[in-house]
Amino acid sequence: MKRTSTLLLLASLASGCSGAQSALNAEGHAAIELKALIVGVIFVCAAVWLLVMIALVLALARRRDRDSGAISERKAAVAVSGAVGATVLVIAGLTIASFYTTRALSEATTPELTIDVTAQQWWWQFTYVGSDSAGGFVTANEIHVPVGKAVRLRLKSSDVIHSFWVPSLAGKQDLIPGRENTLTLRAERPGIYRGQCAEFCGLQHSHMALFVIAEAQADYERWAERQRGLGAEPREAEAVAGKAVFMAKQCAACHTIRGTRALGTTGPDLSHVGSRRTIAAGLLENTRGSLAAWIADPQTLKPGNNMPLVPLSSDELRQLAAYMEGLE
Amino acid sequence: MDDGLDDAELERHLRQSWETPRGIWNALATVDHKIIARRYIVTAFIFLILGGLLAVAMRIQLARPEARILDPDRYNQIFTMHGSTMMFLFAVPVMEAMAIYLVPLMVGTRNIAFPRLNAFSYWIILAGGLLLWISFALDAAPDVGWFAYVPLSGPEYGSGKRADIWAQMITFTELSALAVAVEIVVTVFKQRAPGMSLDRIPLLVWSMLVMAFIVIMAMPAIMFASSTLILDRLVETQFYNPAAGGDALLWQHVFWFFGHPEVYIIFLPAAGMVSTIVATFSRRAIFGYLPLVMAFIATGILAFGLWVHHMFVVGLPRLGESFFTASSMAIAVPAGIQIFCWLATLWLGRPVFATPLLFVIGFIVTFVIGGLTGVMVASVPFDTQVHDTYFVVAHFHYVLVGGAVFPLLGAIYYWFPKMTGRMMSERLGRWAFGLIFVGFNLTFFPMHILGLLGMPRRVYTYQPDLPWGGLNLFISLSALLLVSGFLVFVIDVVRAWRSGPQAGPNPWKAATLEWATSSPPPAYNFRRIPVVDASDPLWMHPEELAVTAGQRVDRRELIVSSVVEALPEARESSPRDSIWPFWAAIATSIMLIGSIFTPWAVVWGSIPIAVCLIGWFWPKGTAEDIS
């Protein structure tokens, strides 16, 4: 099982995630319903447009020397009334189709899992709410969900308005300061689905991506178990030094690494950062090199983001990147 | 009295009372609706060009993934400026400017009602536009979108004075739009030529009238919005701060309660233009005059019942969303009525394929697409996938460019001879139309697909592994075609204005009153005010129209008529030229710009405004005038 999902992960990496952020590449329960509606409505509207165009061409190209004015006038009145009647019917049909889809989407399903989503300029925080038997944990920009299970997202914002959108799984929903919205996802097939903030939220709105990784229940459980645990203690000398740098510099003021003194909450929780596919809200692939590049100069890579430039020697940088990478 | 004067002498007297003398101060003081309207139209088109250049800048940045031609700060300013300029400084003003020019001529009167207010409204929007564009040149332009959602535009996140500048620019356009709307309503209701009863009003005038009513109803909402935003930012009120009991969604409700009707403020005049052009070039009266008027009015009313469709993903109650789905869909019915009436007119008539009609055909092809995608986004579930994506960008460009700019360009070709006395070129007109039509569709149609492929709007860049690069490059290249079409149009306008062939009074053999006078019309519009007994008077009386007599020519005098039947009720004098509206606009601008920085500007700034208003309204004239 583990191997299949790894293969899948590799496959989608190789394909460059093409189509993974598309309403037409529907892999979630809601997105599949929506795609049916979208395709149907587009088909009907294309037909209407064609009919109007045919009428336009006929009106312009009609031979004018035959029928007399008076009769045509009456004919035109009948034609126009008929067309208006047809318009009313088509509009009514589309409205009803829209209502049915809304109803299908809001069918009560008891969610098996609840995740709190907090959007911030310009990254996502995901809090897996703990149960009696298992504790909760926090991650960033990436969530794992079990395939075929309804997942309820509680959407909140800590600054401006954002919008949570993973088009392959469901339609979008805004996150609004002072309010809480919910969105239910159900991935029907395993895969890695890209999403992106859809409401303009300031300077780095463009770079506020997220990934939903849908996998078999067992894989999901294994992943969640590991996330619940504390981050691995560094063993290599370089990583051990990196941990010391992290605690000594400003890093710990903004970031949390559970089990250490680092308890900052303004930046993403880094307890298991090494296990994520990307960093900086989907901007860079998560490698030791890009971790180092990001820490060294976040403002050039993502101008205007809230991560300050922390002056570090090149040794410190290397050590820090090694430590981050090891936090799996 | 004009009785007993021969034509030459009559004209001499009329010229003396109505003409604005030469000279810069006189030019600033003029209240001639035609001069003001021409300025207004030219200004609006300059803003169209500026807004278009910003669009080109965005397309250059988006042609390739992760391009670094524009940094995000500049890009955000650019798309905000593009939207604000196109909506507030081009689309609405240009439609109002067309109304200022055409309505008095089409209803057969000598000047618009409240001509000094008319002059004021032009200066004020010019000041608002300059404020916005100077701030852009100083790298301090608003950067939170033309919709300026809080809290992003609020005191905590909108840094500097950028959002304040945006809000104040809105206030300028509110003042201007509201003034023009009042002028149009009064002109249409009280200054129509004798005999032009409600069922004989040209359709364009009807559409402008409904537009004016929408402005009057919608503007208070945006006034509330821009004032409260300024208050939140300047004096720390908490309308929109959820932490202090405010509500971020309040902004969206208020903004869209204005913002959606705004679309119809732009579209309805275009529908009037289409009706006029279709009738003239089909060589017959419009089919379905009454249904068209009803459709205009229905559109105006329904326009206020669908603002929530901009908010389908903010998490409102289901029942409310269903209502707004139904009402948003319902507006397609009056739109359908209009399209079918125009098609029937073309079908019954003998179409002449002059450039204005070509633009109308382009309008029908594109606007129907925009209307149908409008039906799509009116559906809540459909909208949850396409909201805030390029699908919506495509949709509203089809509605606004297809639905309003195409008719407007057709209208410019159509009324250019009336405004300048010269004809534009049919050959260049065809080129302009062809390039704009093809360029427009190649640019905007693929955006529907981009949106379905998941590209959000307002992003300054996208990552190379997303499947959007090819389409974006294609769109950026197509935009060049569109731009070249506009270039041909501008060349044609400049060329024709300087050296186009003389037009004569009625080059298109049209039916409405503006063609009953010379091109361009004299300062007094009509030598004698015509008497109307049909909705297409020039076709009913191709030889000569009946005219009124007995008006004074030694002062500016208008005929005031009754609302329904347009029976003459009184003769009233129309205000003289005055420099005070200009000074009042300057004083108002100083107050509004000052209030970006301190609330005290409102207090101290009202004093010079009061002085200007005293000058403006100071009664002046002969004893006889006053009695």
Side-chain angles (χ1 to χ4, degrees):
Chain A
M1 251 345 224
K2 164 116 197 192
R3 196 163 300 146
T4 43
S5 69
T6 316
L7 275 176
L8 214 134
L9 207 141
L10 283 173
S12 74
L13 264 177
S15 70
C17 321
S18 63
Q21 180 173 319
S22 165
L24 301 177
N25 175 43
E27 303 285 4
H29 154 72
I32 292 167
E33 295 274 350
L34 292 174
K35 187 182 168 187
L37 178 78
I38 289 171
V39 172
V41 168
I42 289 178
F43 183 76
V44 170
C45 288
V48 170
W49 182 77
L50 264 177
L51 288 174
V52 176
M53 289 309 109
I54 290 169
L56 174 67
V57 170
L58 289 179
L60 294 174
R62 181 177 75 90
R63 284 189 58 192
R64 318 258 155 204
D65 44 358
R66 280 186 303 196
D67 39 17
S68 76
I71 297 168
S72 317
E73 190 99 13
R74 209 175 323 126
K75 265 201 272 179
V78 172
V80 168
S81 319
V84 172
T87 308
V88 173
L89 286 180
V90 170
I91 295 293
L94 294 177
T95 310
I96 290 166
S98 156
F99 289 165
Y100 268 103
T101 308
T102 306
R103 222 173 54 180
L105 289 178
S106 51
E107 267 170 18
T109 40
T110 353
E112 312 228 348
L113 178 64
T114 298
I115 304 171
D116 280 336
V117 180
T118 310
Q120 338 214 356
Q121 286 178 326
W122 291 275
W123 60 281
W124 305 88
Q125 175 176 288
F126 298 108
T127 307
Y128 282 69
V129 184
S131 61
D132 292 340
S133 54
F137 58 89
V138 180
T139 178
N141 301 326
E142 207 168 283
I143 43 174
H144 287 236
V145 297
V147 167
K149 302 283 164 62
V151 178
R152 188 167 59 142
L153 304 177
R154 286 199 295 229
L155 306 173
K156 284 173 277 195
S157 164
S158 64
D159 41 45
V160 301
I161 300 174
H162 302 271
S163 192
F164 182 93
W165 189 38
V166 184
S168 293
L169 297 179
K172 63 182 72 63
Q173 186 71 251
D174 284 356
L175 307 95
I176 298 166
R179 285 175 184 258
E180 182 184 300
N181 282 331
T182 58
L183 181 67
T184 306
L185 297 180
R186 197 172 81 209
E188 301 295 358
R189 277 177 280 276
I192 299 169
Y193 305 109
R194 190 181 194 268
Q196 195 169 351
C197 175
E199 180 60 81
F200 178 65
C201 57
L203 216 52
Q204 280 301 337
H205 169 56
S206 311
H207 290 132
M208 188 171 162
L210 68 119
F211 290 91
V212 177
I213 293 146
E215 55 199 359
Q217 180 77 31
D219 291 331
Y220 165 74
E221 297 286 358
R222 210 168 301 131
W223 173 82
E225 203 42 59
R226 220 164 59 180
Q227 297 287 318
R228 273 188 206 102
L230 299 180
E233 271 305 310
R235 273 185 231 128
E236 281 175 69
E238 201 171 32
V240 172
K243 182 177 181 182
V245 174
F246 190 95
M247 300 306 155
K249 299 281 178 178
Q250 293 101 304
C251 314
C254 297
H255 294 284
T256 292
I257 296 175
R258 274 182 300 130
T260 72
R261 289 188 291 109
L263 294 168
T265 52
T266 47
D269 185 310
L270 298 177
S271 301
H272 295 276
V273 66
S275 69
R276 294 175 201 154
R277 297 182 61 234
T278 63
I279 56 167
L283 184 67
L284 301 167
E285 224 179 298
N286 191 0
T287 63
R288 194 184 286 206
S290 54
L291 280 164
W294 172 252
I295 298 164
D297 188 3
Q299 292 304 322
T300 305
L301 289 167
K302 190 170 167 179
N305 84 83
N306 296 323
M307 167 119 171
L309 181 83
V310 179
L312 294 169
S313 72
S314 59
D315 281 343
E316 288 172 326
L317 193 61
R318 223 176 10 252
Q319 291 157 354
L320 208 46
Y323 174 51
M324 292 288 105
E325 195 190 27
L327 287 172
E328 285 200 333
Chain B
M1 300 287 175
D2 67 351
D3 301 308
L5 296 176
D6 66 21
D7 285 354
E9 213 172 336
L10 180 64
E11 278 176 19
R12 193 172 55 76
H13 280 292
L14 282 167
R15 255 205 316 274
Q16 215 157 34
S17 8
W18 286 91
E19 236 168 39
T20 300
R22 290 186 164 278
I24 179 96
W25 288 108
N26 292 322
L28 295 177
T30 186
V31 296
D32 182 336
H33 75 99
K34 298 177 292 298
I35 296 175
I36 292 167
R38 272 203 301 263
R39 282 177 193 161
Y40 222 134
I41 293 170
V42 170
T43 309
F45 267 92
I46 288 170
F47 282 124
L48 170 71
I49 292 168
L50 291 173
L53 291 176
L54 296 180
V56 171
M58 287 190 279
R59 283 322 313 175
I60 292 171
Q61 164 71 11
L62 291 176
R64 289 187 307 112
E66 295 288 6
R68 297 232 161 191
I69 295 158
L70 298 170
D71 65 51
D73 178 43
R74 202 70 186 172
Y75 187 88
N76 293 346
Q77 288 184 54
I78 287 177
F79 83 68
T80 302
M81 287 290 294
H82 172 74
S84 303
T85 301
M86 289 306 200
M87 292 302 267
F88 296 113
L89 302 177
F90 164 67
V92 174
V94 84
M95 292 305 180
E96 297 191 320
M98 294 296 277
I100 292 169
Y101 193 92
L102 292 170
V103 166
L105 287 165
M106 290 182 105
V107 302
T109 184
R110 295 207 150 131
N111 203 352
I112 200 161
F114 315 127
R116 289 186 182 177
L117 188 62
N118 194 22
F120 175 79
S121 72
Y122 170 71
W123 298 122
I124 204 84
I125 201 159
L126 179 65
L130 289 176
L131 164 70
L132 189 66
W133 274 82
I134 289 170
S135 78
F136 182 57
L138 299 176
D139 199 20
D143 57 352
V144 289
W146 83 277
F147 45 91
Y149 278 6
V150 291
L152 193 58
S153 65
E156 262 186 87
Y157 299 95
S159 60
K161 290 293 174 190
R162 295 173 162 197
D164 308 76
I165 288 169
W166 178 84
Q168 283 312 54
M169 182 277 300
I170 296 293
T171 310
F172 281 101
T173 60
E174 287 155 9
L175 278 174
S176 172
L178 209 46
V180 174
V182 170
E183 293 154 21
I184 292 169
V185 169
V186 176
T187 308
V188 174
F189 277 146
K190 294 306 291 177
Q191 290 185 200
R192 300 201 306 278
M196 187 184 277
S197 50
L198 287 183
D199 56 345
R200 293 176 187 154
I201 297 181
L203 280 170
L204 181 81
V205 176
W206 266 116
S207 72
M208 293 295 189
L209 182 66
V210 178
M211 176 267 273
F213 273 109
I214 302 180
V215 169
I216 291 169
M217 309 279 187
M219 282 296 162
I222 188 75
M223 285 180 172
F224 174 81
S226 66
S227 313
T228 46
L229 180 59
I230 283 272
L231 285 172
D232 265 14
R233 295 180 57 94
L234 198 62
V235 297
E236 287 169 31
T237 56
Q238 307 289 343
F239 284 96
Y240 302 117
N241 179 5
D247 187 351
L249 279 189
L250 173 63
W251 170 267
Q252 295 189 26
H253 279 294
V254 178
F255 182 80
W256 290 117
F257 187 79
F258 147 83
H260 201 86
E262 165 107 340
V263 174
Y264 298 97
I265 292 173
I266 296 162
F267 170 69
L268 277 173
M273 293 165 183
V274 169
S275 305
T276 314
I277 293 170
V278 162
T280 299
F281 293 97
S282 297
R283 299 269 172 262
R284 57 156 287 137
I286 195 85
F287 175 89
Y289 176 92
L290 189 62
L292 279 170
V293 173
M294 292 302 172
F296 291 168
I297 295 172
T299 305
I301 293 167
L302 285 173
F304 287 94
L306 35 73
W307 79 93
V308 170
H309 77 213
H310 294 266
M311 301 168 65
F312 279 162
V313 297
V314 302
L316 296 174
R318 279 274 143 69
L319 186 64
E321 290 183 343
S322 301
F323 170 80
F324 284 96
T325 289
S327 64
S328 306
M329 295 242 181
I331 204 152
V333 175
I337 292 174
Q338 294 168 49
I339 294 280
F340 300 134
C341 285
W342 295 323
L343 288 178
T345 310
L346 289 167
W347 187 54
L348 293 169
R350 294 173 179 278
V352 179
F353 293 92
T355 304
L357 190 66
L358 293 184
F359 276 105
V360 165
I361 294 167
F363 153 82
I364 294 175
V365 175
T366 51
F367 177 69
V368 172
I369 295 177
L372 289 166
T373 53
V375 168
M376 296 179 196
V377 297
S379 152
V380 174
F382 196 115
D383 190 57
T384 61
Q385 282 289 24
V386 297
H387 184 82
D388 274 331
T389 70
Y390 266 80
F391 187 91
V392 171
V393 179
H395 156 67
F396 71 75
H397 280 91
Y398 266 84
V399 173
L400 292 171
V401 180
V405 176
F406 277 146
L408 178 71
L409 293 176
I412 295 292
Y413 271 90
Y414 181 69
W415 279 292
F416 192 82
K418 185 48 60 187
M419 294 178 183
T420 64
R422 294 177 186 275
M423 301 294 288
M424 289 175 71
S425 153
E426 273 296 306
R427 199 167 52 87
L428 288 179
R430 277 158 205 274
W431 272 104
F433 169 72
L435 286 169
I436 291 173
F437 181 77
V438 173
F440 170 79
N441 282 291
L442 292 182
T443 302
F444 288 99
F445 196 84
M447 290 188 188
H448 293 110
I449 302 164
L450 266 185
L452 291 171
L453 290 181
M455 180 159 165
R457 58 198 285 214
R458 300 159 190 149
V459 289
Y460 76 94
T461 193
Y462 51 93
Q463 286 169 261
D465 55 349
L466 292 160
W468 307 329
L471 276 175
N472 270 304
L473 182 62
F474 178 81
I475 290 169
S476 294
L477 292 173
S478 304
L480 295 178
L481 208 59
L482 181 57
V483 168
S484 66
F486 273 97
L487 200 65
V488 173
F489 171 78
V490 171
I491 289 170
D492 196 11
V493 166
V494 172
R495 194 201 53 85
W497 206 324
R498 284 166 50 185
S499 60
Q502 294 290 332
N506 190 0
W508 307 115
K509 302 186 179 59
T512 39
L513 281 188
E514 77 273 26
W515 304 102
T517 180
S518 61
S519 307
Y524 46 89
N525 288 356
F526 301 92
R527 197 189 301 137
R528 290 191 172 86
I529 298 302
V531 176
V532 177
D533 61 356
S535 55
D536 35 20
L538 300 195
W539 285 346
M540 293 300 284
H541 306 281
E543 300 305 314
E544 204 169 355
L545 285 174
V547 292
T548 59
Q551 267 188 286
R552 282 179 56 167
V553 294
D554 56 337
R555 62 166 199 176
R556 295 186 174 182
E557 193 173 86
L558 303 171
I559 296 178
V560 173
S561 51
S562 65
V563 173
V564 178
E565 301 284 326
L567 299 172
E569 283 178 333
R571 300 178 316 180
E572 200 163 273
S573 70
S574 179
R576 296 170 172 287
D577 293 358
S578 165
I579 193 72
W580 287 107
F582 174 74
W583 291 128
I586 301 261
T588 311
S589 305
I590 290 170
M591 181 196 83
L592 288 177
I593 293 171
S595 70
I596 292 174
F597 300 95
T598 160
W600 287 102
V602 179
V603 178
W604 297 115
S606 56
I607 295 168
I609 295 177
V611 172
C612 293
L613 291 180
I614 291 169
W616 177 336
F617 291 109
W618 196 264
K620 213 161 39 174
T622 62
E624 193 192 358
D625 277 339
I626 293 162
S627 74

PDB file of all heavy atoms in Angstrom, chain B residues 557-572:
ATOM      1  N   GLU B 557     -33.494  80.947 -23.730  1.00  0.00           N
ATOM      2  CA  GLU B 557     -34.819  80.545 -23.289  1.00  0.00           C
ATOM      3  C   GLU B 557     -35.121  79.114 -23.740  1.00  0.00           C
ATOM      4  O   GLU B 557     -34.814  78.714 -24.864  1.00  0.00           O
ATOM      5  CB  GLU B 557     -35.869  81.495 -23.876  1.00  0.00           C
ATOM      6  CG  GLU B 557     -37.214  81.331 -23.207  1.00  0.00           C
ATOM      7  CD  GLU B 557     -38.199  82.390 -23.679  1.00  0.00           C
ATOM      8  OE1 GLU B 557     -38.836  82.178 -24.708  1.00  0.00           O
ATOM      9  OE2 GLU B 557     -38.302  83.425 -23.006  1.00  0.00           O
ATOM     10  N   LEU B 558     -35.718  78.339 -22.838  1.00  0.00           N
ATOM     11  CA  LEU B 558     -36.095  76.961 -23.136  1.00  0.00           C
ATOM     12  C   LEU B 558     -37.600  76.823 -23.025  1.00  0.00           C
ATOM     13  O   LEU B 558     -38.248  77.583 -22.309  1.00  0.00           O
ATOM     14  CB  LEU B 558     -35.485  76.003 -22.099  1.00  0.00           C
ATOM     15  CG  LEU B 558     -33.979  75.995 -21.916  1.00  0.00           C
ATOM     16  CD1 LEU B 558     -33.643  75.141 -20.701  1.00  0.00           C
ATOM     17  CD2 LEU B 558     -33.288  75.457 -23.148  1.00  0.00           C
ATOM     18  N   ILE B 559     -38.120  75.801 -23.700  1.00  0.00           N
ATOM     19  CA  ILE B 559     -39.533  75.469 -23.509  1.00  0.00           C
ATOM     20  C   ILE B 559     -39.616  74.380 -22.457  1.00  0.00           C
ATOM     21  O   ILE B 559     -38.922  73.356 -22.551  1.00  0.00           O
ATOM     22  CB  ILE B 559     -40.165  74.964 -24.818  1.00  0.00           C
ATOM     23  CG1 ILE B 559     -40.148  76.080 -25.854  1.00  0.00           C
ATOM     24  CG2 ILE B 559     -41.587  74.469 -24.565  1.00  0.00           C
ATOM     25  CD1 ILE B 559     -40.696  75.665 -27.195  1.00  0.00           C
ATOM     26  N   VAL B 560     -40.433  74.584 -21.450  1.00  0.00           N
ATOM     27  CA  VAL B 560     -40.670  73.562 -20.437  1.00  0.00           C
ATOM     28  C   VAL B 560     -41.998  72.896 -20.767  1.00  0.00           C
ATOM     29  O   VAL B 560     -42.988  73.565 -21.037  1.00  0.00           O
ATOM     30  CB  VAL B 560     -40.707  74.187 -19.030  1.00  0.00           C
ATOM     31  CG1 VAL B 560     -41.114  73.148 -17.996  1.00  0.00           C
ATOM     32  CG2 VAL B 560     -39.356  74.778 -18.690  1.00  0.00           C
ATOM     33  N   SER B 561     -41.972  71.547 -20.754  1.00  0.00           N
ATOM     34  CA  SER B 561     -43.193  70.857 -21.191  1.00  0.00           C
ATOM     35  C   SER B 561     -43.629  69.849 -20.137  1.00  0.00           C
ATOM     36  O   SER B 561     -42.898  69.522 -19.204  1.00  0.00           O
ATOM     37  CB  SER B 561     -42.938  70.153 -22.530  1.00  0.00           C
ATOM     38  OG  SER B 561     -41.775  69.373 -22.447  1.00  0.00           O
ATOM     39  N   SER B 562     -44.845  69.317 -20.310  1.00  0.00           N
ATOM     40  CA  SER B 562     -45.403  68.420 -19.304  1.00  0.00           C
ATOM     41  C   SER B 562     -44.774  67.037 -19.414  1.00  0.00           C
ATOM     42  O   SER B 562     -44.266  66.648 -20.464  1.00  0.00           O
ATOM     43  CB  SER B 562     -46.924  68.327 -19.468  1.00  0.00           C
ATOM     44  OG  SER B 562     -47.231  67.719 -20.700  1.00  0.00           O
ATOM     45  N   VAL B 563     -44.821  66.290 -18.298  1.00  0.00           N
ATOM     46  CA  VAL B 563     -44.063  65.045 -18.205  1.00  0.00           C
ATOM     47  C   VAL B 563     -44.555  63.981 -19.186  1.00  0.00           C
ATOM     48  O   VAL B 563     -43.759  63.354 -19.883  1.00  0.00           O
ATOM     49  CB  VAL B 563     -44.122  64.495 -16.758  1.00  0.00           C
ATOM     50  CG1 VAL B 563     -43.489  63.117 -16.674  1.00  0.00           C
ATOM     51  CG2 VAL B 563     -43.427  65.455 -15.810  1.00  0.00           C
ATOM     52  N   VAL B 564     -45.868  63.774 -19.262  1.00  0.00           N
ATOM     53  CA  VAL B 564     -46.377  62.655 -20.059  1.00  0.00           C
ATOM     54  C   VAL B 564     -46.571  63.037 -21.526  1.00  0.00           C
ATOM     55  O   VAL B 564     -46.027  62.421 -22.431  1.00  0.00           O
ATOM     56  CB  VAL B 564     -47.687  62.119 -19.451  1.00  0.00           C
ATOM     57  CG1 VAL B 564     -48.251  60.985 -20.303  1.00  0.00           C
ATOM     58  CG2 VAL B 564     -47.444  61.643 -18.023  1.00  0.00           C
ATOM     59  N   GLU B 565     -47.343  64.095 -21.756  1.00  0.00           N
ATOM     60  CA  GLU B 565     -47.711  64.453 -23.126  1.00  0.00           C
ATOM     61  C   GLU B 565     -46.725  65.382 -23.801  1.00  0.00           C
ATOM     62  O   GLU B 565     -46.806  65.603 -25.002  1.00  0.00           O
ATOM     63  CB  GLU B 565     -49.090  65.148 -23.103  1.00  0.00           C
ATOM     64  CG  GLU B 565     -50.212  64.299 -22.522  1.00  0.00           C
ATOM     65  CD  GLU B 565     -50.664  63.242 -23.512  1.00  0.00           C
ATOM     66  OE1 GLU B 565     -50.635  63.521 -24.724  1.00  0.00           O
ATOM     67  OE2 GLU B 565     -51.036  62.142 -23.066  1.00  0.00           O
ATOM     68  N   ALA B 566     -45.833  65.966 -23.014  1.00  0.00           N
ATOM     69  CA  ALA B 566     -44.915  66.990 -23.514  1.00  0.00           C
ATOM     70  C   ALA B 566     -45.661  68.173 -24.124  1.00  0.00           C
ATOM     71  O   ALA B 566     -45.318  68.654 -25.211  1.00  0.00           O
ATOM     72  CB  ALA B 566     -43.911  66.400 -24.513  1.00  0.00           C
ATOM     73  N   LEU B 567     -46.702  68.610 -23.428  1.00  0.00           N
ATOM     74  CA  LEU B 567     -47.387  69.832 -23.845  1.00  0.00           C
ATOM     75  C   LEU B 567     -46.602  71.008 -23.286  1.00  0.00           C
ATOM     76  O   LEU B 567     -46.175  70.973 -22.134  1.00  0.00           O
ATOM     77  CB  LEU B 567     -48.821  69.858 -23.293  1.00  0.00           C
ATOM     78  CG  LEU B 567     -49.707  68.704 -23.766  1.00  0.00           C
ATOM     79  CD1 LEU B 567     -51.035  68.710 -23.012  1.00  0.00           C
ATOM     80  CD2 LEU B 567     -49.925  68.808 -25.276  1.00  0.00           C
ATOM     81  N   PRO B 568     -46.419  72.056 -24.094  1.00  0.00           N
ATOM     82  CA  PRO B 568     -45.635  73.197 -23.601  1.00  0.00           C
ATOM     83  C   PRO B 568     -46.322  73.809 -22.382  1.00  0.00           C
ATOM     84  O   PRO B 568     -47.533  73.991 -22.364  1.00  0.00           O
ATOM     85  CB  PRO B 568     -45.659  74.177 -24.775  1.00  0.00           C
ATOM     86  CG  PRO B 568     -46.082  73.380 -25.958  1.00  0.00           C
ATOM     87  CD  PRO B 568     -46.897  72.237 -25.464  1.00  0.00           C
ATOM     88  N   GLU B 569     -45.510  74.079 -21.353  1.00  0.00           N
ATOM     89  CA  GLU B 569     -46.073  74.633 -20.124  1.00  0.00           C
ATOM     90  C   GLU B 569     -45.568  76.030 -19.853  1.00  0.00           C
ATOM     91  O   GLU B 569     -46.293  76.858 -19.324  1.00  0.00           O
ATOM     92  CB  GLU B 569     -45.705  73.754 -18.931  1.00  0.00           C
ATOM     93  CG  GLU B 569     -46.527  72.499 -18.830  1.00  0.00           C
ATOM     94  CD  GLU B 569     -46.110  71.632 -17.656  1.00  0.00           C
ATOM     95  OE1 GLU B 569     -44.927  71.709 -17.244  1.00  0.00           O
ATOM     96  OE2 GLU B 569     -46.952  70.883 -17.161  1.00  0.00           O
ATOM     97  N   ALA B 570     -44.312  76.268 -20.171  1.00  0.00           N
ATOM     98  CA  ALA B 570     -43.739  77.563 -19.814  1.00  0.00           C
ATOM     99  C   ALA B 570     -42.489  77.803 -20.639  1.00  0.00           C
ATOM    100  O   ALA B 570     -41.961  76.886 -21.264  1.00  0.00           O
ATOM    101  CB  ALA B 570     -43.395  77.581 -18.330  1.00  0.00           C
ATOM    102  N   ARG B 571     -42.060  79.067 -20.640  1.00  0.00           N
ATOM    103  CA  ARG B 571     -40.757  79.395 -21.210  1.00  0.00           C
ATOM    104  C   ARG B 571     -39.876  79.782 -20.047  1.00  0.00           C
ATOM    105  O   ARG B 571     -40.282  80.539 -19.175  1.00  0.00           O
ATOM    106  CB  ARG B 571     -40.878  80.553 -22.193  1.00  0.00           C
ATOM    107  CG  ARG B 571     -41.808  80.233 -23.362  1.00  0.00           C
ATOM    108  CD  ARG B 571     -41.934  81.413 -24.271  1.00  0.00           C
ATOM    109  NE  ARG B 571     -42.105  82.631 -23.476  1.00  0.00           N
ATOM    110  CZ  ARG B 571     -42.238  83.839 -24.025  1.00  0.00           C
ATOM    111  NH1 ARG B 571     -42.205  83.995 -25.319  1.00  0.00           N
ATOM    112  NH2 ARG B 571     -42.389  84.899 -23.247  1.00  0.00           N
ATOM    113  N   GLU B 572     -38.691  79.213 -20.027  1.00  0.00           N
ATOM    114  CA  GLU B 572     -37.844  79.455 -18.866  1.00  0.00           C
ATOM    115  C   GLU B 572     -36.453  79.809 -19.347  1.00  0.00           C
ATOM    116  O   GLU B 572     -35.981  79.282 -20.347  1.00  0.00           O
ATOM    117  CB  GLU B 572     -37.798  78.208 -18.003  1.00  0.00           C
ATOM    118  CG  GLU B 572     -37.355  78.503 -16.587  1.00  0.00           C
ATOM    119  CD  GLU B 572     -37.708  77.352 -15.672  1.00  0.00           C
ATOM    120  OE1 GLU B 572     -38.830  77.318 -15.135  1.00  0.00           O
ATOM    121  OE2 GLU B 572     -36.843  76.477 -15.541  1.00  0.00           O
TER     122      GLU B 572
END
